Amino acid sequence: MIPENATSAAARLLGAPGPPEAGRRPVVGVSLKLYFGLAATRTWLADVAALKDALAELPRPVDLFVLPSFPALADARDLLAGTGVAYGSQDVHWAESGAWTGEVSAGMLAEAGARYVEVGHAERRRHFGETDATVAAKTGAAVRAGLVPVICAGERHDNGLAQAVEETLSQVRAALGGAGPDSEVIVAYEPVWAIGAREPAPARHVRTVTSAVRACLRDHGVRGRVVYGGTAGPGTFGRLAGSVDGLFLGRLAHDTANLRLVLEEVAAATVPAPLPLRP
Ligand SMILES: O=C(CO)COP(=O)(O)O
């Protein structure tokens, strides 16, 4: 077992995760899923907009994005204007246009001012039959429209680290098949068993899987950031600092006081040292 306080160099030698490369801006995202109606979403967006000064005063910049339901995108555009908070959607269709009743294209999202689009969330895989192939197609559509795909990936059951790494990497590799080299992506590592749970996944587990995801992004040549999601909230990033670029929040961001604490915690974390160049 790798002690939590092992130096990063020693930890890398042992095959454990090292710190991410310096220079990537930390990032915090929130998906509202279907928790709020339109009026409640507007109230919440106004509360997020009120974090503008707190965001500007952070000791280092942190990207913040929020993903409300489709009908609230226009409200996000209006309420978040001038705050520095970006927004996007929780899903996208792979086709640019055509006979696809009920679907929303990446181009239309870009026109609506979206910057990020979530693809492949576990709930979409489970309830709406999303597969690695559809997630890859959606990732490609997002990239072509100039959006940043937030690729969700994670193992379904807590059956140990080896299986977690294998299942997660297989989802990430498949999704990246839709994104060319040099694309900008975010991978949200979300172990399914830690979503909607009482506690986030243990830090050592997250560190190991996200380290493997980071290596996969590097091999693929994309500009990627890796965040953790699954009952994440205040206190989570502190335990993971050095292994992820930020967090992807659900329920615990409904109270924006929590969101503010998370932003402060992420901004205050030690800036990681650069990794040595690959041979
Ligand atoms: O799935 C998640 C974010 O997309 C995590 O949700 P919770 O933080 O509510 O567990």
Side-chain angles (χ1 to χ4, degrees):
M1 173 161 157
I2 311 301
E4 287 288 343
N5 63 355
T7 66
S8 54
R12 270 201 303 283
L13 276 177
L14 290 165
E21 296 86 342
R24 280 194 311 262
R25 265 164 93 106
V27 58
V28 172
V30 182
S31 165
L32 287 184
K33 307 194 182 190
L34 187 50
Y35 279 111
F36 294 163
L38 197 51
T41 300
R42 287 183 185 132
T43 304
W44 184 83
L45 287 168
D47 289 347
V48 171
L51 296 177
K52 178 185 174 191
D53 290 345
L55 204 54
E57 285 161 13
L58 293 175
R60 67 176 168 140
V62 177
D63 289 340
L64 172 62
F65 67 86
V66 299
L67 308 179
S69 299
F70 288 124
L73 286 177
D75 296 296
R77 182 190 55 213
D78 295 345
L79 290 164
L80 300 175
T83 63
V85 181
Y87 59 93
S89 65
Q90 301 168 19
D91 189 21
V92 63
H93 190 55
W94 58 78
E96 283 173 27
S97 64
W100 298 100
T101 302
E103 295 295 332
V104 178
S105 71
M108 191 185 286
L109 292 170
E111 282 184 272
R115 171 93 185 102
Y116 297 88
V117 60
E118 184 178 357
V119 292
H121 190 276
E123 286 145 22
R124 296 215 54 88
R125 287 178 185 264
R126 179 169 169 211
H127 301 298
F128 303 101
E130 298 229 343
T131 62
D132 284 350
T134 55
V135 175
K138 291 177 176 202
T139 300
V143 168
R144 283 194 300 280
L147 303 174
V148 179
V150 180
I151 299 165
C152 299
E155 77 280 5
R156 268 166 302 170
H157 305 289
D158 185 9
N159 284 336
L161 272 170
Q163 187 176 328
V165 169
E166 188 188 324
E167 215 175 313
T168 303
L169 283 192
S170 133
Q171 291 171 15
V172 173
R173 281 196 202 100
L176 291 179
D182 258 354
S183 310
E184 182 183 352
V185 305
I186 291 178
V187 172
Y189 170 54
E190 300 204 313
V192 180
W193 49 273
I195 297 173
R198 291 167 64 91
E199 291 180 353
R204 180 170 176 268
H205 185 101
V206 177
R207 285 172 183 276
T208 304
V209 180
T210 53
S211 166
V213 169
R214 194 177 298 287
C216 175
L217 292 178
R218 215 179 293 157
D219 290 346
H220 203 82
V222 294
R223 290 175 290 130
R225 289 182 284 183
V226 183
V227 298
Y228 168 77
T231 319
T236 308
F237 189 79
R239 291 194 287 274
L240 302 177
S243 61
V244 292
D245 298 299
L247 295 179
F248 191 34
L249 304 165
R251 291 158 297 150
L252 290 170
H254 292 176
D255 179 347
T256 54
N258 280 338
L259 180 56
R260 181 183 178 147
L261 288 174
V262 167
L263 289 166
E264 288 170 353
E265 200 177 326
V266 170
T270 315
V271 179
L275 280 177
L277 289 174
R278 274 191 303 163

